[in-house]
Amino acid sequence: MATLKGKVAVVTGSTSGIGLGIARSLAGAGADIMLNGFGDKAAIESLRKKLAAQFRVRIGYDGADLSKPAEVHSLIAHAVAELGGVDILVNNAGIQHVAPVDEFPDDRWDAVIAINLSADFHAIKAALPQMKKRGWGRIINIASAHGLVASINKVAYVTAKHGVVGMTKVVALETATTAITCNAICPGWVLTPLVQKQIDDLARREKLSETEAKRRLLAEKQPSGDFVTTEQIGALALYLCSDAAAQIRGAALSIDGGWTAQ
Ligand code: NAD
């Protein structure tokens, strides 16, 4: 597997869920990490220290709100100033909102598009010159099964994630003759706070136990009947950083328990 000693990775939305799983996996291979995301200040500082001690790498933190382009640029600048550059960019931060299209609140549309789609563009634009300067790079965009197929009541999310898959292809083509690659990972259901909220809503709406709500959620989309784990996604991201993956370019890699095979 990849040795990432001396490499710097920015992982957006890494205070929780999939982003944290990826940060752990890259730190485990020796990369220095710039964490980003929201949460309790003290808890984030304790997480930062714990990861640094466990993996013996440098771990920074930047609380940039990725819905604001200027803060996306300052996140990348912070990584360069504190950790010396950006070799790996994982665009992971994301939010969800569920409502039918004719009732979908305008401000939720704007927020989902800003965080799940536009932030990826701004971060790539800011980080790519760093990778070109160093002659190597990995851009990994966390899309979704919803980057490949649709579901009802998720118009902003599905639009953003399909956009991320398209953006991934353009960036991969523009960097095709370099040692910089750009790919998307398309997970199915992963049990993170983002999905727990949808389970809680389903349980409340249909008067189900939590276990039954989880089973129903999986049964509807994910043939394996099991959640994808953050460790499995971390391992796939790490593989994409390896030399073995140097010719994987512009791919949208499914890790979805069979969701999009149907
Ligand atoms: P999560 O809610 O556990 O984590 C989201 C992270 O993004 C957190 O660290 C949060 O603080 C951060 N974040 C949210 N808004 C932000 C903002 N404005 N600025 C900076 N950081 C912000 O969610 P997750 O399930 O780990 O999702 C991570 C990514 O994976 C998202 O892009 C999501 O769409 C995608 N995804 C998740 C699943 C799933 O089943 N959980 C499936 C497919 C794709």
Side-chain angles (χ1 to χ4, degrees):
M1 208 26 97
T3 294
L4 300 178
K5 272 211 174 352
K7 305 275 194 229
V8 174
V10 174
V11 185
T12 71
S14 45
T15 51
S16 163
I18 293 171
L20 180 54
I22 293 173
R24 277 185 189 289
S25 171
L26 301 185
D32 295 324
I33 310 284
M34 179 58 74
L35 298 171
N36 158 259
F38 298 150
D40 175 71
K41 265 202 165 70
I44 292 172
E45 179 54 16
S46 126
L47 172 69
R48 195 191 65 73
K49 284 191 178 141
K50 218 170 85 189
L51 292 175
Q54 184 180 356
F55 298 112
R56 297 172 186 216
V57 294
R58 292 181 297 163
I59 306 277
Y61 168 72
D62 188 297
D65 176 348
L66 302 184
S67 66
K68 301 179 177 145
E71 295 195 22
V72 182
H73 281 270
S74 70
L75 165 65
I76 301 299
H78 183 182
V80 174
E82 187 175 324
L83 301 174
V86 177
D87 304 287
I88 299 164
L89 169 66
V90 183
N91 284 311
N92 165 79
I95 58 168
Q96 176 63 283
H97 188 82
V98 179
V101 63
D102 51 344
E103 294 168 18
F104 209 91
D106 291 352
D107 70 324
R108 290 300 85 204
W109 167 270
D110 289 343
V112 172
I113 297 297
I115 296 163
N116 295 21
L117 178 62
S118 299
D120 295 17
F121 159 72
H122 294 295
I124 292 169
K125 187 174 170 181
L128 194 52
Q130 290 296 320
M131 297 178 187
K132 285 183 174 167
K133 210 187 291 173
R134 290 149 79 103
W136 188 91
R138 293 289 187 264
I139 299 167
I140 301 172
N141 298 322
I142 305 307
S144 167
H146 283 124
L148 304 170
V149 296
S151 294
I152 58 164
N153 297 336
K154 294 187 174 175
V155 66
Y157 190 86
V158 170
T159 302
K161 295 300 188 181
H162 275 67
V164 168
V165 170
M167 189 190 311
T168 301
K169 294 176 184 175
V170 173
V171 176
L173 291 177
E174 291 185 7
T175 54
T177 60
T178 73
I180 301 163
T181 71
C182 178
N183 291 288
I185 293 179
C186 297
W189 292 124
V190 188
L191 192 52
T192 66
L194 181 139
V195 166
Q196 187 63 47
K197 183 174 176 301
Q198 295 174 64
I199 291 167
D200 295 344
D201 289 347
L202 179 66
R204 206 174 311 117
R205 209 172 48 241
E206 308 275 328
K207 299 194 170 38
L208 303 171
S209 69
E210 187 179 337
T211 311
E212 181 53 18
K214 278 183 187 161
R215 202 198 56 74
R216 280 265 287 274
L217 192 92
L218 286 167
E220 192 197 338
K221 299 283 185 189
Q222 200 145 301
S224 68
D226 279 330
F227 287 102
V228 181
T229 68
T230 59
E231 290 80 8
Q232 289 162 346
I233 298 175
L236 180 53
L238 183 57
Y239 176 71
L240 286 174
C241 293
S242 71
D243 291 340
Q247 290 307 326
I248 302 181
R249 292 171 184 266
L253 299 166
S254 291
I255 173 164
D256 65 5
W259 180 325
T260 54
Q262 298 170 97

